[in-house]
Amino acid sequence: MRVGCTRIPVMNRLSPAQQAALQSTFGERLSLRAADRASHGRDESFYAPAEPDAVLFAESVEDVQALVAWCHAERVPLIPFGAGTSLEGHVLAVQGGISLDLMRLNRILRIDAEDLSCSVEPGVTREQLNAALRDQGLFFPIDPGANASLGGMAATRASGTNAVRYGTLRENVLGLHAVLPALGLIRAGSRAKKSSAGYDLARLLVGSEGTLGVITELTLKLHPLPEQVAAAAVQFPSVAAAVRTTIALVQSGVPIARCELLDVHAVRAVNAHDGLGLAEAPLLLLEFHGSASSVREQIETVQACAAEQGGLQFAWAETPEARSKLWRARHHAYWSALQSRPGCRCLTTDVCVPISRLAEAVETAVAAAEAAQQPHFIVGHVGDGNFHIGYLIDPARPEELARAEALAAQLVQLALALEGTCSGEHGVGLHKQGFLLQEAGAPAVAAMRAIKAALDPHGVMNPGKIFSRQG
Amino acid sequence: MRVGCTRIPVMNRLSPAQQAALQSTFGERLSLRAADRASHGRDESFYAPAEPDAVLFAESVEDVQALVAWCHAERVPLIPFGAGTSLEGHVLAVQGGISLDLMRLNRILRIDAEDLSCSVEPGVTREQLNAALRDQGLFFPIDPGANASLGGMAATRASGTNAVRYGTLRENVLGLHAVLPALGLIRAGSRAKKSSAGYDLARLLVGSEGTLGVITELTLKLHPLPEQVAAAAVQFPSVAAAVRTTIALVQSGVPIARCELLDVHAVRAVNAHDGLGLAEAPLLLLEFHGSASSVREQIETVQACAAEQGGLQFAWAETPEARSKLWRARHHAYWSALQSRPGCRCLTTDVCVPISRLAEAVETAVAAAEAAQQPHFIVGHVGDGNFHIGYLIDPARPEELARAEALAAQLVQLALALEGTCSGEHGVGLHKQGFLLQEAGAPAVAAMRAIKAALDPHGVMNPGKIFSRQG
């Protein structure tokens, strides 16, 4: 499956009659064009592209309902497609079928400022939503870096920076609508802040990676824009010192809004790419939200914690522009690091561990990469115990991929031994299926499969993802 | 089903061979005694008792596994039983079977202070846990009033006071172990703060009311004891003014820890029962957690909001003892109100609405009860949009029950029209099955049933709850 840059050539597996039926139902919204199939057969993961047989550009919930029903009846795979920013191969049509592009379903349906909530279609991106909210003094905090679609973020249970304070998609979905193969359109949750009415179908769909149904509407929690925001870059003599500072902060209960680690390799990359001019040393990027006095208190605590760990210097981003520059650089870290080794590809881990074990996990990962002389960098949502070590690989040298795979697998083993998880936020997708089995255990994965079989009895929803073989 | 105080007499439906098999496996931990069956056939709801055929006092996870496997094989209903504090008939053995008493599984397995987490067996009560945490400077915030078992609180997705700031059981479970009929013991979640590894089985079990499996271990989030705590009682000229103050507070983003409403009837009742000496006027009970300056800021905001709504007076509870007295009185409100009409029973609603619609919901509920001359009282976790109107009924007069049922049904209709939920925290149990169908819609309930059938194919787990007919 995992073959670097080699594309798997596939025939279109739809019969002429199936193609005709789809075209008759959807007209020009259905595309069989090579360019559309190619662009919907790849994401930002390391995987070889796998093209769908057709792409439906849905323009209504009725389009989604019609396609789901058709795929269910015809036993044709259906792969929901958002912004295509998955890092785990979620949108690759590994068994062919129809890619359901949801990006035209991009209306913000309502903003209920008084209730701190909104409803959106799945193709709305987080930046689009935040642009619409700004005038209302509100924001949607979940920020995985990429300008992902909210439907895709829900499907992978995304988080990113800010989750340390505001939670992940899981905590920020009040309700959703989804189309299931056997049961059609369902509503889950409500606009109330909490509910004990029946099984929590909303949180079952969140993180299901398109394997149970297609999310067609999300009702999300919003947050008031903080009265004051301050950001700082603090540098440390070692990654370990930065991590120990993070642990102390989290244990102190400081409601820090962002706490991101960049190791020296990532710092060099963002210096080169975004001209930040930082010292070449490990870095914590921090953001504080609250009232003026609360922000002041948080900063004092952070300064004390950092000083104890030999924090070298604080650089403040006072203005919104300076803050934006800092966070843009953080979000560019992945691509900046890729450019640091021209022509390379990146294999990224996503482990998340209890905060008390974070130093051990990071130090072990770094030592192993260095011992193997594997070029790498680290960025991490360390306030949550989640970090990514990216292994930079020359695709012309298969032994580098094998080495990186081995390092990544070792790190997952360590994270599981530390009672953490193989995936903090990217999802299982194609590559972590064995890790999931190991982490959750066979009976729990059997329970997931049983749920999958109950809601998608013909196995048409995004087959080949999460589970190594579909029911 | 709903027959006031009349007990439904049932024969023991276990065959002599079944009884012998159970006794051989479990010895004296299995009870067929009338007193045990009677005490496990009732909860704190309005329902007539429905006795199980036997009670197993489990002393190990192996006991739970053995009983679940046996009930699955023998097609005998199994009803998990905790502290028996359900208000919705969850533990009533309406189809007979075995009541699985989990209160001997009451060990706190570990407290990981550095990770702000702990693991407990399901029979640990919230007060027991908080007593063990106090020395560590930590607490578990979810507080439904009753000293419920944590397993039962997870099974009903409980919340209560404090949820406005700290979330419900849903947000505070990191992971759990559960025994499922067809699949045995599963692990869901981990000790990491977040995860995107597979379906969120932990949140599927939370709120499943014992209909999918038996929770045998919970890993819970903990919170640092706040540096400062302040509590206040503020009285208002009307319930509407108290509610409008709440709405303003929530919309301002003040991180208030508790915001509880008592109407004048509830205030009278707690005055009589706990000698609070409050003015006979609607009341908000408030609690503030944070640093000294944060608490001061919160109080200033609350005072400004209350003043705008004609808040009559602030009574401060400065000492821990005074705070305890205030919250004890709040927790006694239900029982105090029952005593205000000797011999009565209480039918309690549990609607939760978006905060912007809370005033409309409360005012309509009060007007309807007054128009019907139905004795009632209101207590509510109004910061979450959740309130309970309790209708006090003379069990000797069936027309009072009918009237209260009609009022409760009207209120649910209103809550659903306002895009809220029929149950904020008590669960569906026996009585809200029709409301759930209306709220979630037939396709979503069909999805819940499909999941139930997939995980409990013989329908032995707590049959008759959530869904009106099993399987």
Side-chain angles (χ1 to χ4, degrees):
Chain A
M1 188 69 73
R2 184 145 189 162
V3 285
C5 286
T6 316
R7 180 178 299 187
I8 304 169
V10 290
M11 303 293 292
N12 192 319
R13 282 152 288 201
L14 296 174
S15 69
Q18 287 178 322
Q19 292 186 25
L22 288 167
Q23 284 177 315
S24 154
T25 305
F26 298 111
E28 296 201 344
R29 303 195 297 290
L30 187 91
S31 171
L32 298 165
R33 284 184 292 278
D36 287 330
R37 291 172 57 201
S39 64
H40 288 74
R42 66 179 72 230
D43 56 18
E44 292 177 7
S45 71
F46 190 76
Y47 294 99
E51 293 181 4
D53 300 310
V55 179
L56 177 66
F57 294 92
E59 294 185 353
S60 65
V61 174
E62 290 72 25
D63 277 351
V64 176
Q65 289 174 290
L67 184 69
V68 171
W70 187 87
C71 288
H72 178 61
E74 295 283 324
R75 318 303 204 248
V76 169
L78 186 161
I79 306 101
F81 194 102
T85 56
S86 166
L87 293 168
E88 293 293 343
H90 288 111
V91 299
L92 274 53
V94 290
Q95 299 182 20
I98 320 289
S99 179
L100 172 58
D101 187 309
L102 294 153
M103 296 306 282
R104 294 183 188 173
L105 292 177
N106 63 357
R107 289 178 303 163
I108 296 169
L109 300 169
R110 51 195 276 194
I111 296 172
D112 294 322
E114 290 193 323
D115 290 317
L116 303 173
S117 73
C118 69
S119 291
V120 299
E121 292 186 321
V124 173
T125 68
R126 64 174 187 85
E127 290 182 4
Q128 178 191 350
L129 177 59
N130 276 319
L133 291 173
R134 206 158 293 136
D135 288 349
Q136 316 241 8
L138 299 171
F139 78 119
F140 179 71
I142 317 297
D143 172 12
N147 187 23
S149 71
L150 292 163
M153 288 168 63
T156 52
R157 207 182 292 131
S159 46
T161 74
N162 274 326
V164 59
R165 172 149 176 175
Y166 298 97
T168 73
L169 244 290
R170 180 171 77 190
E171 287 80 24
N172 284 279
V173 168
L174 288 170
L176 55 79
H177 293 185
V179 180
L180 309 187
L183 295 166
L185 184 65
I186 67 160
R187 295 193 309 270
S190 71
R191 309 187 95 75
K193 194 179 158 203
K194 65 181 191 180
S195 171
S196 287
Y199 299 167
D200 193 345
L201 296 181
R203 256 139 293 269
L204 181 64
L205 270 294
V206 169
S208 64
E209 305 187 11
T211 63
L212 296 177
V214 182
I215 294 169
T216 54
E217 184 176 323
L218 286 161
T219 297
L220 300 168
K221 287 189 197 171
L222 303 174
H223 298 264
L225 279 171
E227 184 187 318
Q228 189 152 337
V229 177
V234 197
Q235 297 201 276
F236 291 88
S238 68
V239 162
V243 170
R244 284 194 300 266
T245 300
T246 302
I247 294 172
L249 276 176
V250 170
Q251 292 174 349
S252 74
V254 173
I256 198 158
R258 286 167 152 169
C259 180
E260 297 284 308
L261 172 72
L262 283 77
D263 76 347
V264 67
H265 307 295
V267 167
R268 262 186 221 124
V270 298
N271 271 345
H273 187 279
D274 286 278
L276 282 201
L278 293 160
E280 291 198 353
L283 173 74
L284 284 183
L285 280 181
L286 304 162
E287 195 165 279
F288 310 91
H289 294 179
S291 66
S293 67
S294 157
V295 165
R296 197 162 50 240
E297 282 179 356
Q298 293 177 50
I299 289 171
E300 283 164 11
T301 306
V302 171
Q303 286 177 320
C305 291
E308 276 184 28
Q309 298 297 336
L312 300 173
Q313 60 182 96
F314 259 73
W316 291 100
E318 305 277 2
T319 63
E321 293 70 31
R323 276 205 312 278
S324 291
K325 184 174 176 190
L326 213 54
W327 290 110
R328 210 164 39 238
R330 162 63 188 90
H331 287 332
H332 291 167
Y334 178 81
W335 287 279
S336 308
L338 278 178
Q339 291 175 16
S340 73
R341 192 178 181 196
C344 77
R345 313 233 6 170
C346 182
L347 191 156
T348 306
T349 68
D350 182 32
V351 297
C352 183
V353 297
I355 195 78
S356 69
R357 318 307 294 270
L358 180 62
E360 181 178 351
V362 172
E363 288 175 56
T364 307
V366 169
E370 289 181 351
Q373 298 186 296
Q374 170 61 56
H376 66 278
F377 66 98
I378 289 180
V379 292
H381 315 303
V382 281
D384 285 324
N386 180 211
F387 68 97
H388 310 297
I389 180 161
Y391 303 111
L392 299 174
I393 299 155
D394 180 347
R397 304 177 63 186
E399 68 276 19
E400 290 202 12
L401 174 59
R403 185 177 62 191
E405 296 258 27
L407 288 167
Q410 271 174 37
L411 179 54
V412 170
Q413 299 314 312
L414 175 65
L416 299 187
L418 299 176
E419 302 180 90
T421 175
C422 64
S423 178
E425 56 179 12
H426 294 168
V428 175
L430 287 173
H431 186 53
K432 300 206 184 85
Q433 300 177 353
F435 298 149
L436 171 65
L437 193 60
Q438 199 183 339
E439 175 178 333
V445 174
M448 295 179 201
R449 283 177 185 278
I451 293 166
K452 162 85 174 165
L455 299 183
D456 177 23
H458 302 158
V460 298
M461 289 304 311
N462 208 6
K465 315 299 160 57
I466 299 186
F467 312 111
S468 45
R469 284 189 204 86
Q470 295 293 342
Chain B
M1 189 70 70
R2 185 148 188 158
V3 287
C5 286
T6 316
R7 179 179 299 185
I8 305 169
V10 290
M11 302 294 292
N12 192 318
R13 283 153 287 200
L14 296 174
S15 70
Q18 288 177 322
Q19 292 185 26
L22 288 167
Q23 284 176 315
S24 153
T25 305
F26 298 110
E28 295 202 344
R29 303 195 296 289
L30 188 90
S31 171
L32 298 164
R33 285 185 292 277
D36 288 330
R37 292 172 57 201
S39 65
H40 288 74
R42 67 180 71 229
D43 56 19
E44 292 177 6
S45 70
F46 190 76
Y47 295 97
E51 293 181 3
D53 300 310
V55 178
L56 177 67
F57 294 92
E59 295 186 352
S60 66
V61 174
E62 290 71 26
D63 277 352
V64 176
Q65 290 175 287
L67 185 68
V68 171
W70 187 86
C71 287
H72 178 62
E74 294 283 324
R75 319 301 205 248
V76 169
L78 186 161
I79 306 100
F81 194 101
T85 55
S86 165
L87 293 167
E88 293 293 344
H90 288 112
V91 298
L92 274 54
V94 291
Q95 299 182 21
I98 321 288
S99 180
L100 172 58
D101 188 309
L102 294 154
M103 296 306 281
R104 293 183 188 173
L105 293 177
N106 61 359
R107 287 179 303 163
I108 296 170
L109 299 169
R110 51 196 275 193
I111 296 172
D112 293 322
E114 290 193 324
D115 290 316
L116 304 173
S117 73
C118 68
S119 291
V120 299
E121 292 186 320
V124 172
T125 69
R126 64 175 187 85
E127 290 181 4
Q128 179 191 349
L129 177 59
N130 276 318
L133 293 173
R134 206 159 292 138
D135 287 349
Q136 316 240 8
L138 299 171
F139 77 120
F140 179 71
I142 317 297
D143 172 12
N147 187 23
S149 70
L150 292 161
M153 287 168 62
T156 52
R157 206 181 293 130
S159 46
T161 73
N162 274 325
V164 60
R165 171 147 179 178
Y166 298 97
T168 73
L169 245 291
R170 180 170 76 190
E171 287 81 22
N172 284 278
V173 167
L174 288 170
L176 55 80
H177 294 186
V179 180
L180 310 186
L183 296 166
L185 184 65
I186 67 161
R187 295 193 308 268
S190 71
R191 309 187 94 77
K193 194 179 158 202
K194 65 181 192 181
S195 171
S196 286
Y199 300 167
D200 193 346
L201 296 180
R203 257 140 292 270
L204 181 64
L205 270 294
V206 169
S208 64
E209 305 187 11
T211 64
L212 296 177
V214 181
I215 294 169
T216 55
E217 184 176 325
L218 286 161
T219 296
L220 300 168
K221 286 189 198 171
L222 302 174
H223 299 264
L225 279 171
E227 183 186 321
Q228 190 152 338
V229 177
V234 198
Q235 297 201 273
F236 290 88
S238 67
V239 162
V243 170
R244 285 194 300 265
T245 300
T246 302
I247 295 171
L249 276 177
V250 170
Q251 292 173 349
S252 74
V254 173
I256 198 159
R258 286 166 151 168
C259 180
E260 297 284 306
L261 172 71
L262 282 78
D263 75 347
V264 66
H265 306 296
V267 167
R268 262 187 221 123
V270 297
N271 272 344
H273 186 279
D274 286 277
L276 282 201
L278 293 160
E280 291 198 353
L283 173 74
L284 285 182
L285 281 181
L286 304 162
E287 196 164 280
F288 310 92
H289 293 178
S291 66
S293 66
S294 157
V295 165
R296 199 164 48 239
E297 281 180 356
Q298 294 177 49
I299 289 171
E300 284 164 11
T301 307
V302 170
Q303 286 178 318
C305 291
E308 276 184 28
Q309 298 297 336
L312 299 174
Q313 59 182 98
F314 258 73
W316 291 98
E318 306 277 2
T319 64
E321 294 69 31
R323 277 205 311 278
S324 292
K325 185 176 176 186
L326 213 55
W327 290 110
R328 212 165 36 239
R330 161 63 189 89
H331 287 331
H332 291 166
Y334 178 82
W335 311 112
S336 308
L338 277 177
Q339 290 175 18
S340 72
R341 194 179 181 197
C344 77
R345 311 239 357 175
C346 182
L347 191 157
T348 306
T349 68
D350 182 32
V351 297
C352 184
V353 297
I355 196 78
S356 69
R357 317 308 295 270
L358 180 63
E360 181 178 350
V362 172
E363 289 176 57
T364 306
V366 170
E370 289 181 351
Q373 297 187 296
Q374 170 61 58
H376 66 277
F377 67 98
I378 289 179
V379 292
H381 315 302
V382 282
D384 285 324
N386 180 212
F387 68 97
H388 311 299
I389 180 161
Y391 304 111
L392 300 173
I393 300 154
D394 179 349
R397 303 176 63 185
E399 68 276 17
E400 290 202 10
L401 174 59
R403 185 176 63 191
E405 296 258 28
L407 287 166
Q410 271 175 39
L411 179 55
V412 170
Q413 299 314 311
L414 176 66
L416 299 186
L418 299 176
E419 302 180 271
T421 175
C422 64
S423 178
E425 57 179 11
H426 294 167
V428 174
L430 288 172
H431 186 52
K432 299 207 183 86
Q433 300 176 352
F435 298 149
L436 171 65
L437 194 60
Q438 198 182 341
E439 176 177 331
V445 174
M448 296 180 201
R449 283 177 184 277
I451 292 166
K452 161 83 174 167
L455 299 183
D456 178 22
H458 302 157
V460 298
M461 288 304 311
N462 208 5
K465 315 298 159 60
I466 299 187
F467 312 110
S468 45
R469 282 187 206 87
Q470 295 294 342

